[in-house]
């Protein structure tokens, strides 16, 4: 996911900000936003959570 997020961040740098949070280091942020699985994506609008989804990583 990291390469995709880096590309999105670069391409849309004038419109969005992509931020990664280390949930083990910042447990209070994980608790505040009810992050229970990784990776969890939270989209913020006007500084407030607008939408969220958990990506499922498929291994073969």
């Amino acid at each position: 996911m990291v390469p995709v997020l880096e590309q999105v961040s670069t391409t849309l740098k004038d419109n969005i900000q992509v931020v990664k949070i280390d949930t083990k280091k910042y447990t209070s942020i994980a608790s505040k936003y009810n992050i229970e699985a990784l990776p969890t994506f939270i989209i913020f609008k006007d500084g407030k959570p607008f939408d969220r989804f958990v990506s499922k990583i498929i291994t073969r």
Side-chain angles (χ1 to χ4, degrees):
M1 295 301 302
V2 172
V4 172
L5 290 175
E6 288 175 351
Q7 183 178 6
V8 167
S9 181
T10 300
T11 303
L12 300 174
K13 66 183 174 191
D14 295 330
N15 299 309
I16 68 167
Q17 181 179 15
V18 176
V19 178
K20 290 181 359 180
I21 302 293
D22 181 342
T23 56
K24 289 185 180 182
K25 186 174 182 179
Y26 299 101
T27 56
S28 61
I29 294 173
S31 294
K32 180 177 180 176
Y33 294 107
N34 299 315
I35 298 171
E36 298 176 354
L38 297 176
T40 295
F41 297 89
I42 304 174
I43 300 169
F44 288 80
K45 183 176 182 179
D46 299 324
K48 297 178 182 174
F50 176 75
D51 198 4
R52 66 186 293 138
F53 61 95
V54 177
S55 179
K56 295 182 182 180
I57 298 175
I58 300 171
T59 58
R60 295 180 186 184

